[in-house]
Each structure stands twice: as C-alpha cells, then as structure tokens.
Amino acid sequence: MTPKTLKEWLHHADDEILARFIANHQNLIAQLMQAWQRQLNKEQAAHNLPEDAVIANNPSPLADNPDDMADEVTVPRPHEEEDDKQTASETTATACTTQETPQTDDEFAPLAPSTPDTAMPLHPATPTPTAAETPAIHLPPLPNANQGQPYAHTLPADLPITSLTIETADSGLTWDDDTRRIHGTPTVSGDLTIRLILLDNGKEIGTHLNLHINPDPKSLWQNLPSDQDAPFAKPDSAHEEQTTPHGRLIAARQRGRSHAHIGSYCDDDYRLHYHEASGLHLLTVADGAGSAAHSRYGSQLAVEAVKNTICALLDDPDKPHRRLADADPAQREKIAANLISHALHAAHKAHLEAAQQHGLETKSLSCTLLIGLAVALPDGSWYHAAYQVGDGAAALWQLESGTLHLLGEADSGAYSGETQFLSRAQLDEADITRRIRHHNDSALYTLILMTDGVSDPKFETDAGLKNPALWQALWQELKTPLADPTPDTALLDWLDFWSRGNHDDRTIALLIPAAKESA
C-alpha cells in the first residue's frame, strides 16, 4: 500500500464504519499511533527539525485533514466524566508519557501495559463475552460396557478427581474411590452419565464422562407362546429323564429364539425309551426343515414312528430282536440294522399317511432323523449302533481318556446351510447300510445325539465335530446341569445358552452309563 492509497482510503471511509472500526481495534490503533510517533521522532532527530514542524509536515494518516492532527492530539476520550475540565498540565503529561516510550527499530513492537494513548478519539465498545474456561485436563473416553456382564475400568491415577457420581443409582455400577475403579455388572443399557468434580489450578470444576452400555442381546428377543389351538400344535419345550438298571436317559428340547420371537413352533422333537425285556436303550431326535410348513408335525411323526416300530419288534418273542444282547457280534449288527431299517420305513410311511389324511404335501413334513441304540452286554461291555440323515451329530464320548467316536456324518447340500431330509431315497438298503455305524467296547461311553441347533454353535464345522477338545469343552458345560437334582430341567435351561447368530431350535439326548455317575 502506498501513502497516497492510505490517505485516499481514510479520507473516503464512511464515518460510521470507521467509528466502529476504531471502537473494535483500539489496541491496534494505539500501536499504530505510537509507531507513527516514533517515526516522527526519528525524522526530527535526522533533520534537526522542531517537533511542531515535523508534525505539520507529516500529519497522522488516520486524520481526515492534516490540519486536524494537532487538535486530535488533545481531544479527551469521550467516556471520561470530566469532558470539559482537562487542563494543559494533563495534556502535557500525556505528551511526555508518549515521548518516554522506549525507542525500538520495530515500528510494531508490543505496547507496554500502561494507560492507552488518549490522543486518539476512541469510542467506548461493549466487551465481547468470552466462554468459560474448561479444565485443561484430558478425560480419556470410557470403554463400552455390556448389560449383564461384569465391567471394570480404572481411571488414570493423575486425574484430580474430588468426587464422582454415577447418574443412575440402580445401574449396577459403583465407584471405588480407593482403587479409582468404576465396576459392577450393568443392569441397564444405553448411555450412562458419570459426573465428576475435578481440581484444576486450585478450582473445582464440574464435568462428565459418558459410558455406553450395550443391551443384553437376549433382552432384544421376544418369547411369544405358540398357538396351542392351531393344527399340529405341540408344547414349545419338553424335557425328560429315565433311570434304567444301566444308567440314565436324559433329553430336552428348547424352542429357538427365531421361533419364539414370532410365536411360532419348535420344529425339533425327540423320544427316549428303555426296553426292559431286551435291555435296549433307544434315543432318537429329529429336526423339522425350516422351509417346510408343517415340519414340526413331521419331526413328531418320525420320532414317534421310530419308537413304536422298534418297541413292537422287541416285544415280539418270536422275533430275534429282543435277543440282541446275547447274539454274536455279526448277528447283533444285523439285528440292529434291521431295527433301524424298519424304523426308517415306518417314519417315511407316517409322513405319507399324514399328508394324505390332512391334504398336505409330503415335503411340508420334511425332517432330519438320528437314531441311537445301546445295550449292555453280559461281559460288561457295551454295544452301540447309530443312524443319521441330515445335519446334527451322533457321537460316543469317553471322558476319562478323552476318546471320541462319531456315529454319523452330517449331510450337506450345494449351498451353505443345506442338508438332506428323510425321504424315499433314504430307504434304499445300500444307503441305510452306509449310514449305520456300529461300536463295541469295554470302556464306558456316553452316547450323545443332538440337532444342529446345538452342534452348529458348539462345533461350527464338520472339522470341529471331529475335534475331541471341543467335545471336552461341551462336556464341561454339561456337567453342571447333569449333576442337578432335576437334570432334565437343568438341561432345558442350559439349552437357552447365548450364541451370536445361532437361534435355531435345540435338542439334545444322552445315555449316561451308571459308572459315569461319579465322573
């Protein structure tokens, strides 16, 4: 900017705007005035000119008229109460104060914290309010908590906390001042405000932290009862225990959250039976196809047909089936295979007859099917046989040695989650034979059958089903409900375990040999 430009700009500036500019920038203008005065002093010293001559020849660029500059130097500030009483001595004192300002080559050096220069006619301005100072203390964010799960977080030792209050008294969380920990088990979900009083530079300042508590996923699911008056209705859950001379039969089925949330039915079913005359233990479980409209009825028909058919064969004294325990190994396997084959035909026939009777498509009754047989032999060993079509798992688990024997292989389809169901194709004798597994051992094994509602979250993959470590982990979970005075009820409660993304119906059936009672 040239001197001419500055003069023209100040000369043509709007008076009202210029007045507001002066009021808002008093300190800056005072700096400019002092810098201008220092420049004049330099000019005077360099040319040996009287002060008045220098001022006359070099008026302030802030003056509207060069001749007005001398007058402006003596104009008092408008906010002073004694506007008309300023004496010559006061004016002289002001001038002396200005001249005594230390000289420096920096024309814009910071002003000393003295009384502002009164030579400039500055209008009073209302001070701009400033925000209240916040404490210069870093508050680290709190990690999220989970409703129903233990939570503990220790605040930094150098955080000057004089008090801490958790806004919701019944949140399940407390503050331990000695350990500086927020801890407990949250009973609520959402955002929880935690108010703190901090000591900052000797002053107590209030602030707050926000703790987000994730809701218990289980609480988001409804548990609506199914319509027990609708066709093919059955209870939403079931459990059973039978004590035999050789051990315990225990089973439970629990409706999955995906069905409970909308009030639909449990598609799983099971049957247990001990045949006293033959000493045979029977376990069978079925899982109705989720895509089949009446699969809850189909699974019920299948397990009932399996139980009734095998019991009928064992009851007939003219047939060899009831002498299963006394037969030689080869004959025993033939008898077991014959029992299973008859049971499969009966289950399929039950589907066909029900479809015809009720005007249904046979596919609407589709289900998987697992059958387990076990008999204690005269020499103290056990014989087991099992059959599986579809997903789920059938296995023998030996706790002491950690030995696993799978008694079936899950069927899988072309797409994830696909499986096979009981149909006419599974009645081929070659297919039946390849699916049956036999096992004879003097060691005592627990026989376990389960639908995929249990096997999927506990094993996840076919490879997981073959992993003894995962079966060991499962058994550790089962030990508590199985040791309960009412193990079937406790087992039903256990089936309500939470597994993210796994909300299918769940059924499990076990035969625990008597010697296992102390394990």
Side-chain angles (χ1 to χ4, degrees):
M1 177 179 287
T2 64
K4 181 178 180 182
T5 304
L6 180 60
K7 289 180 181 180
E8 290 179 354
W9 180 81
L10 291 173
H11 181 73
H12 294 291
D14 181 271
D15 289 344
E16 183 178 350
I17 295 176
L18 189 59
R20 285 199 299 271
F21 177 83
I22 293 171
N24 291 332
H25 300 284
Q26 295 183 27
N27 289 337
L28 176 61
I29 293 173
Q31 281 184 318
L32 290 172
M33 290 296 296
Q34 288 196 19
W36 180 252
Q37 183 64 47
R38 287 195 296 271
Q39 179 65 29
L40 294 181
N41 291 341
K42 288 182 181 180
E43 295 291 337
Q44 179 184 359
H47 300 286
N48 257 340
L49 296 175
E51 182 179 351
D52 291 343
V54 175
I55 295 176
N57 292 324
N58 297 278
S60 168
L62 296 178
D64 290 338
N65 190 312
D67 296 334
D68 295 339
M69 185 61 195
D71 295 335
E72 288 184 6
V73 173
T74 59
V75 174
R77 298 175 65 147
H79 63 270
E80 293 181 358
E81 294 180 0
E82 303 294 334
D83 289 342
D84 300 323
K85 298 180 180 179
Q86 185 177 24
T87 64
S89 60
E90 291 172 325
T91 304
T92 303
T94 301
C96 291
T97 301
T98 303
Q99 292 176 2
E100 291 172 0
T101 301
Q103 300 298 310
T104 173
D105 291 335
D106 183 1
E107 297 184 353
F108 293 95
L111 290 174
S114 58
T115 303
D117 189 351
T118 58
M120 190 70 184
L122 302 177
H123 297 284
T126 303
T128 303
T130 58
E133 292 187 4
T134 56
I137 299 173
H138 174 63
L139 291 176
L142 297 174
N144 289 354
N146 295 309
Q147 183 182 12
Q149 297 183 22
Y151 178 85
H153 180 70
T154 302
L155 294 179
D158 59 352
L159 196 62
I161 302 173
T162 61
S163 72
L164 185 148
T165 304
I166 299 174
E167 191 169 76
T168 304
D170 58 351
S171 65
L173 296 172
T174 58
W175 164 248
D176 188 330
D177 190 57
D178 293 334
T179 61
R180 302 177 66 82
R181 285 199 321 154
I182 300 170
H183 64 98
T185 300
T187 58
V188 297
S189 63
D191 291 328
L192 187 67
T193 300
I194 298 176
R195 303 198 178 279
L196 303 91
I197 302 296
L198 303 178
L199 193 62
D200 184 36
N201 294 324
K203 296 181 180 180
E204 288 191 338
I205 298 178
T207 185
H208 72 277
L209 288 168
N210 185 66
L211 174 62
H212 182 74
I213 304 175
N214 298 315
D216 179 0
K218 293 173 66 174
S219 68
L220 304 178
W221 293 85
Q222 300 183 87
N223 187 13
L224 304 177
S226 60
D227 183 2
Q228 293 299 300
D229 295 326
F232 319 127
K234 65 182 180 183
D236 294 330
S237 63
H239 54 91
E240 182 181 355
E241 178 188 19
Q242 293 182 26
T243 301
T244 81
H246 307 285
R248 294 185 298 165
L249 288 165
I250 306 173
R253 66 169 174 86
Q254 181 72 272
R255 183 174 59 157
R257 291 184 180 86
S258 58
H259 287 160
H261 190 68
I262 59 175
S264 63
Y265 299 90
C266 177
D267 290 335
D268 285 7
D269 223 319
Y270 73 86
R271 290 294 185 271
L272 301 176
H273 186 72
Y274 173 68
H275 190 266
E276 186 174 357
S278 64
L280 183 71
H281 300 77
L282 167 66
L283 306 82
T284 180
V285 302
D287 178 6
S291 58
H294 305 293
S295 62
R296 64 182 183 277
Y297 186 39
S299 63
Q300 183 182 48
L301 290 170
V303 295
E304 189 68 19
V306 169
K307 173 189 170 184
N308 292 340
T309 300
I310 291 178
C311 287
L313 291 170
L314 294 174
D315 285 340
D316 190 342
D318 296 328
K319 295 187 179 295
H321 301 92
R322 72 161 58 189
R323 295 186 291 276
L324 182 70
D326 299 319
D328 62 70
Q331 185 65 18
R332 187 180 299 120
E333 290 186 3
K334 288 182 180 180
I335 293 173
N338 187 261
L339 287 171
I340 292 172
S341 179
H342 277 83
L344 294 174
H345 281 83
H348 183 256
K349 182 180 179 182
H351 282 184
L352 295 176
E353 291 178 347
Q356 184 177 11
Q357 179 183 353
H358 299 286
L360 308 173
E361 291 187 6
T362 306
K363 285 187 176 180
S364 71
L365 301 169
S366 296
C367 66
T368 66
L369 185 60
L370 293 88
I371 302 171
L373 306 178
V375 61
L377 303 180
D379 63 0
S381 63
W382 279 80
Y383 167 76
H384 298 90
Y387 169 91
Q388 177 175 356
V389 58
D391 47 25
L396 291 171
W397 172 249
Q398 218 281 325
L399 174 64
E400 288 77 12
S401 64
T403 304
L404 169 68
H405 291 286
L406 290 177
L407 296 180
E409 184 174 344
D411 293 304
S412 58
Y415 301 96
S416 175
E418 274 195 340
T419 189
Q420 293 187 30
F421 303 103
L422 178 64
S423 67
R424 187 179 300 278
Q426 278 73 50
L427 302 183
D428 178 77
E429 287 302 318
D431 189 77
I432 294 174
T433 300
R434 77 172 181 86
R435 291 178 180 274
I436 296 177
R437 305 282 179 90
H438 304 271
H439 185 264
N440 200 145
D441 204 311
S442 58
L444 300 178
Y445 286 82
T446 296
L447 175 60
I448 307 174
L449 273 60
M450 66 185 75
T451 60
D452 67 329
V454 179
S455 63
D456 281 358
K458 296 303 179 184
F459 301 99
E460 296 186 356
T461 64
D462 291 343
L465 282 170
K466 299 174 182 178
N467 186 348
L470 295 181
W471 285 90
Q472 176 68 35
L474 173 64
W475 186 257
Q476 290 303 313
E477 288 188 43
L478 292 173
K479 285 175 67 175
T480 298
L482 294 178
D484 192 88
T486 55
D488 53 324
T489 303
L491 189 62
L492 179 67
D493 293 338
W494 174 82
L495 287 173
D496 195 39
F497 63 81
W498 175 260
S499 176
R500 184 177 181 180
N502 293 291
H503 309 299
D504 197 5
D505 302 328
R506 296 169 179 168
T507 299
I508 188 168
L510 306 95
L511 168 60
I512 307 174
K516 287 282 185 184
E517 299 299 319
S518 59

